[in-house]
Structures are given as C-alpha cells and as structure tokens.
Amino acid sequence: MLSGKQKRFLRGLGHSLKPVILVGKGEVDEGLIAETGEALAFHELIKVKVLESCLMEKTEVAQAIAVACGAEVAQILGRTILLYKQSKERKIELPR
C-alpha cells in the first residue's frame, strides 16, 4: 500500500509520461492485462488511458487492472490512470 507521500512522488514522476495502454471497447480482458503486466515490469510506472468508447467506469477499470496485475493505483485524473508496480530491478526509489 502506497502512502500519501509516495503517491505524490509518483504523480510528480508520472506527469511527463505518455499513456502506454489504451482501454477501449474491448475493456479489461486477458490480453490487456498481460500487456499491462509487461509494461509495468519494464517501466514500473505507467499511464493507462480510458477511451470514451469504454463502457466501464474509470475507477472500475483502475481496480480491475490493479488487482489483476498486482499493481497500485497512484492516481486517477480525468480518464488517465497512473499505475505503479515495483519490479525486481528497482528503477524508482520511493520515499519512506
């Protein structure tokens, strides 16, 4: 579980990132979860964009992906979700 300080730190890092994953009509399926897991393993911090064609609510999408990938939701802003998952080779050092 991320603390408030850690979430603020991650939001600062995520500000300049471009969305890596797009969620549309297909919604959250196995392929999307696998792709998100790979992206998280490589980058640790990614943005997910929920398109208007997606029938699910953004909070439902965020929770479904986070639970399936074992990630933490750092932020939901508009239709953009910021996800964090620590990889084996740490690239981001979180504050305590």
Side-chain angles (χ1 to χ4, degrees), residues 20-68:
V20 178
I21 306 292
L22 299 175
V23 182
K25 280 186 183 177
E27 298 183 0
V28 180
D29 59 3
E30 291 179 22
L32 179 94
I33 290 170
E35 187 177 341
T36 305
E38 289 175 17
L40 281 167
F42 185 75
H43 297 289
E44 281 191 332
L45 184 67
I46 63 168
K47 276 188 179 177
V48 177
K49 182 77 171 179
V50 180
L51 303 176
E52 290 185 26
S53 61
C54 183
L55 301 176
M56 294 174 70
E57 290 292 321
K58 59 188 175 187
T59 53
E60 293 173 340
V61 172
Q63 286 297 355
I65 294 174
V67 168

Side-chain angles (χ1 to χ4, degrees), residues 2 9 13-14 16 20 22-23 36 40 46 55 63-64 67 70 72 76 79 83 85 93 96:
L2 295 171
F9 177 75
L13 292 177
S16 62
V20 178
L22 299 175
V23 182
T36 305
L40 281 167
I46 63 168
L55 301 176
Q63 286 297 355
V67 168
E72 296 279 340
I76 300 175
R79 294 185 159 274
L83 292 175
K85 182 179 179 185
E93 190 65 38
R96 295 197 178 253

Side-chain angles (χ1 to χ4, degrees), residues 1-2 7 10 40 66 70-75 82-85:
M1 189 82 181
L2 295 171
K7 286 183 181 181
L10 291 172
L40 281 167
E72 296 279 340
V73 177
Q75 181 182 33
L82 189 65
L83 292 175
Y84 171 77
K85 182 179 179 185

